[in-house]
């Protein structure tokens, strides 16, 4: 069901702007409250259980399908201004995602969520799309980004970053073994490192730009 809904969303977003807005309204209107409730239920799950110890388990695959759906909803949020909370849920309840990232869930899940957060702060629906400050001129997107920034900065001010691993098992093209002359213990995932840094920097930048007083900036 998750995979089918994500696939329908992605296909609908390929339509002409006028057509896809109407189609998405019909699709998301009856699902809005359901998807928000599902988001809360699945991400408040106990991810330290044995069901998630393997990156190949059914539970892990289901969660990956859910992340794909969240990504499709994020794309629809950025490209179309529609009045649905399920599109905004990643911004408004980002603390759920941050908790999952710092849990003992498989590294592949952590990485997918971190890269999804990067898309949130860049407001880029696709890698070749233009993102940035012009998108924050809409009041609702500005409100969403401010909500995300506040929560990200709160957890970073604590010890959240210290709980995030920067490497899974090192793998290379054609092999899972370390290449000769490379230290697998010291290797870090540069993609995750850059994405995490960008999320924190963008949250800080947006918070400063929207701060009411100089004291708040400090």
């Amino acid at each position: 069901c998750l995979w089918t809904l994500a696939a329908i969303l992605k296909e609908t977003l390929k339509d002409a702007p006028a057509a896809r807005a109407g189609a998405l309204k019909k699709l998301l209107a009856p699902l809005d409250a359901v998807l928000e409730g599902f988001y809360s239920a699945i991400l408040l799950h106990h991810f330290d259980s044995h069901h998630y110890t393997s990156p190949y388990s059914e539970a892990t695959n289901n969660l990956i399908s859910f992340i794909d759906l969240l990504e499709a909803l994020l794309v629809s949020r950025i490209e179309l201004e529609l009045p649905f909370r399920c599109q905004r849920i990643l911004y408004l309840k980002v603390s759920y995602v941050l908790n999952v990232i710092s849990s003992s869930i498989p590294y592949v899940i952590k990485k997918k969520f971190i890269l999804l957060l990067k898309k949130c702060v860049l407001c880029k629906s696709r890698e070749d799309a233009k993102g940035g400050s012009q998108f924050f001129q809409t009041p609702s997107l500005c409100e969403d980004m401010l909500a995300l920034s506040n929560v990200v900065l709160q957890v970073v001010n604590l010890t959240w970053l210290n709980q995030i691993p920067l490497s899974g098992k090192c793998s290379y093209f054609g092999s899972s073994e370390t290449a000769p002359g490379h230290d697998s213990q010291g290797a870090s995932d540069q993609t995750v490192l850059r994405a995490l840094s960008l999320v924190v920097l963008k949250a800080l930048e947006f918070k400063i730009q929207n701060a009411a007083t100089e004291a708040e900036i400090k």
Side-chain angles (χ1 to χ4, degrees):
C1 290
L2 290 169
W3 184 91
T4 302
L5 185 54
I8 292 170
L9 270 171
K10 290 173 183 176
E11 286 302 313
T12 305
L13 287 166
K14 294 177 182 177
D15 294 340
R20 64 187 180 182
L24 280 175
K25 281 182 181 179
K26 289 180 182 178
L27 177 65
L28 295 178
L31 291 172
D32 194 24
V34 175
L35 287 174
E36 182 177 358
F38 191 56
Y39 175 93
S40 301
I42 196 169
L43 294 188
L44 280 176
H45 191 68
H46 186 60
F47 290 109
D48 296 330
S49 74
H50 68 278
H51 297 294
Y52 294 93
T53 53
S54 168
Y56 309 107
S57 68
E58 183 181 357
T60 302
N61 284 330
N62 289 340
L63 193 53
I64 288 174
S65 294
F66 183 59
I67 295 172
D68 290 340
L69 175 59
L70 289 177
E71 186 170 5
L73 287 168
L74 176 63
V75 173
S76 72
R77 170 75 186 99
I78 293 169
E79 296 192 359
L80 294 167
E81 188 73 15
L82 296 174
F84 299 118
R85 274 184 65 90
C86 65
Q87 295 175 291
R88 307 172 61 196
I89 196 73
L90 267 170
Y91 292 95
L92 302 180
K93 292 187 176 180
V94 70
S95 60
Y96 290 43
V97 170
L98 298 177
N99 287 336
V100 174
I101 292 172
S102 61
S103 73
S104 60
I105 205 153
Y107 184 75
V108 63
I109 301 289
K110 296 175 188 278
K111 184 169 182 173
K112 283 183 76 71
F113 268 127
I114 289 168
L115 295 179
L116 190 59
L117 285 181
K118 186 185 84 166
K119 285 190 174 183
C120 284
V121 299
L122 290 179
C123 264
K124 286 175 67 174
S125 55
R126 299 177 179 86
E127 289 303 319
D128 58 346
K130 291 183 178 179
S133 58
Q134 69 268 25
F135 285 89
F136 298 127
Q137 290 173 4
T138 59
S140 62
L141 252 181
C142 187
E143 178 187 334
D144 289 357
M145 187 59 195
L146 195 55
L148 181 145
S149 298
N150 285 333
V151 175
V152 167
L153 292 176
Q154 283 170 14
V155 299
V156 167
N157 197 39
L158 300 173
T159 58
W160 182 78
L161 280 176
N162 296 339
Q163 303 171 51
I164 313 304
L166 288 178
S167 64
K169 183 179 179 182
C170 291
S171 60
Y172 300 84
F173 283 107
S175 171
S176 60
E177 301 302 320
T178 306
H182 288 71
D183 177 14
S184 62
Q185 300 299 318
S188 60
D189 189 330
Q190 297 300 304
T191 302
V192 168
L193 182 59
R194 286 193 299 269
L196 270 176
S197 301
L198 189 61
V199 168
V200 175
L201 286 170
K202 280 290 181 183
L204 191 60
E205 177 189 35
F206 197 80
K207 180 68 175 174
I208 288 173
Q209 288 174 348
N210 291 273
T213 64
E214 187 175 344
E216 188 178 0
I217 293 174
K218 287 181 180 178

